[in-house]
Amino acid sequence: MNQYIDIHPRVLKAIRNNEPVVALESTIISHGMPYPQNVEMALSVEKIIENEGAVPATIAIIDGRIKVGLTPDEITKLAQLKNVLKVSKRDFGYCISKKYNGATTVSATMLVASMVGIKVFATGGIGGVHRDAQQTFDISRDLEELANENVCVVCAGAKSILDLNLTLEYLETKGVEIIGYQTDELPAFYTRESGLHVDYQLDTPEEVAKLIHVKWSLGLKGGIVVANPISKLYSMDKSIIDQEIEKALLLAKENNIKGKEITPFLLSKIKALTEGKSLDANIQLVYNNAKLAAQIAVCYEKL
């Protein structure tokens, strides 16, 4: 795959020297947030990771090249471009062969991180089993990559627009641990509460690093989900956000929005319905996850 991948010199040096690196996705830049908040968020996330002693590696496809580690100019370009492809596993060949621009989803970012040897990845929330999946079979590719790639994913749980109970069941079937960071309850993206329990609670980055080190040292394949709740200061009221999600889901059904378009549509509608409060929460939970991911990466490299 190296002929299609460009690794930023700073990231390459860190990988070769076994220094802590944190992968970052780019769909959140091109599809998850409006301009200019997306640029501010992306650059701030990288700074947070650097301040914790790790190297950030934002991943995207620019003009048909997989980039592992973007420059500030490339981040700004991606944030402003229109018609950026949302890239999952099935889209790599098309996007690269056509020399298009692509933003990597959680699953695509995990794939690239695994290819180049990055073990820790920070994102907002993972995808999962969509509501009414019994009829639609709409299940995020994120879950398959979590089952197959040795990457620790730090997130604020699964996006609350999903069927969280079925998402947990799917991950259990695939043998993916869900670790609650300082909590025994699955966070639900915008809110700290879901009413669902996680597999295990761990309370320090060192404990998480030790778990992933032991798992992969045993030769057990697959990722780990570290569910890190949004801080209490920015957590939204569960009953209110649930009402707005129901309204957004109804709008999606009325407009026949499906597949890879459903998540950006729902996030955009929820932002409008909450008068921007959900966007503020989204930005803060990403910062929170980036900090923890960097701490875990530092501890893991020490092992």
Side-chain angles (χ1 to χ4, degrees):
M1 286 296 295
N2 286 352
Q3 62 181 310
Y4 302 111
I5 300 178
D6 299 325
I7 304 178
H8 191 287
R10 180 179 58 160
V11 177
L12 184 59
K13 178 175 175 286
I15 293 170
R16 284 179 171 167
N17 294 336
N18 292 318
E19 296 169 5
V21 182
V22 176
L24 297 163
E25 51 134 319
S26 48
T27 298
I28 193 169
I29 300 172
S30 62
H31 294 75
M33 293 182 189
Y35 180 82
Q37 288 100 324
N38 52 2
V39 175
E40 294 165 8
M41 177 278 305
L43 296 177
S44 296
V45 164
E46 293 209 343
K47 185 58 69 178
I48 287 167
I49 290 168
E50 289 171 351
N51 289 343
E52 294 297 326
V55 175
T58 302
I59 294 171
I61 299 172
I62 306 290
D63 299 325
R65 302 289 303 173
I66 297 173
K67 301 281 187 176
V68 180
L70 299 184
T71 65
D73 286 346
E74 286 171 333
I75 286 173
T76 304
K77 175 181 176 179
L78 190 69
Q80 293 177 303
L81 281 172
K82 304 298 181 188
N83 302 318
V84 175
L85 284 179
K86 186 178 176 185
V87 175
S88 187
K89 183 177 182 178
R90 69 176 180 186
D91 310 300
F92 274 108
Y94 177 75
C95 186
I96 292 168
S97 66
K98 300 289 281 186
K99 292 185 167 50
Y100 287 160
N101 298 298
T104 52
T105 61
V106 169
S107 65
T109 306
M110 284 187 73
L111 275 170
V112 176
S114 183
M115 287 174 194
V116 300
I118 299 173
K119 296 298 185 182
V120 182
F121 164 35
T123 185
I126 60 169
V129 180
H130 282 263
R131 302 187 191 198
D132 300 322
Q134 300 93 323
Q135 285 78 43
T136 65
F137 274 69
D138 192 351
I139 300 172
S140 171
R141 180 72 202 174
D142 295 357
L143 303 186
E144 285 298 312
E145 262 27 287
L146 275 163
N148 293 316
E149 304 302 332
N150 292 3
V151 179
C152 171
V153 180
V154 181
C155 60
K159 296 183 178 76
S160 43
I161 55 178
L162 304 165
D163 188 316
L164 298 182
N165 201 30
L166 289 184
T167 299
L168 288 178
E169 292 290 346
Y170 195 104
L171 287 171
E172 180 187 9
T173 300
K174 295 293 184 178
V176 178
E177 303 93 332
I178 302 177
I179 306 301
Y181 188 72
Q182 300 180 351
T183 182
D184 64 353
E185 184 173 358
L186 179 73
F189 200 60
Y190 299 118
T191 178
R192 296 172 63 87
E193 302 88 26
S194 67
L196 301 169
H197 287 285
V198 294
D199 299 323
Y200 305 107
Q201 176 178 335
L202 295 177
D203 298 325
T204 66
E206 290 84 0
E207 287 181 296
V208 177
K210 189 172 182 180
L211 182 149
I212 61 179
H213 176 71
V214 169
K215 176 176 179 173
W216 295 333
S217 295
L218 286 168
L220 295 174
K221 188 176 72 169
I224 295 100
V225 174
V226 178
N228 183 32
I230 185 173
S231 73
K232 290 178 182 177
L233 187 63
Y234 297 102
S235 181
M236 299 185 70
D237 183 281
K238 184 176 185 300
S239 60
I240 292 173
I241 196 67
D242 284 349
Q243 287 175 18
E244 304 306 346
I245 287 170
E246 290 299 332
K247 290 177 189 173
L249 286 164
L250 191 61
L251 285 169
K253 192 170 284 188
E254 288 172 355
N255 288 277
N256 199 32
I257 306 293
K258 296 177 181 176
K260 64 166 70 175
E261 303 304 322
I262 187 78
T263 299
F265 177 86
L266 291 174
L267 292 178
S268 174
K269 291 300 175 187
I270 291 164
K271 174 183 169 249
L273 291 166
T274 61
E275 298 177 337
K277 292 187 181 71
S278 66
L279 178 60
D280 294 338
N282 196 346
I283 291 170
Q284 292 302 323
L285 66 85
V286 171
Y287 292 165
N288 197 36
N289 294 339
K291 183 175 182 177
L292 177 58
Q295 292 169 347
I296 292 169
V298 169
C299 292
Y300 179 76
E301 290 304 338
K302 287 177 182 175
L303 293 172

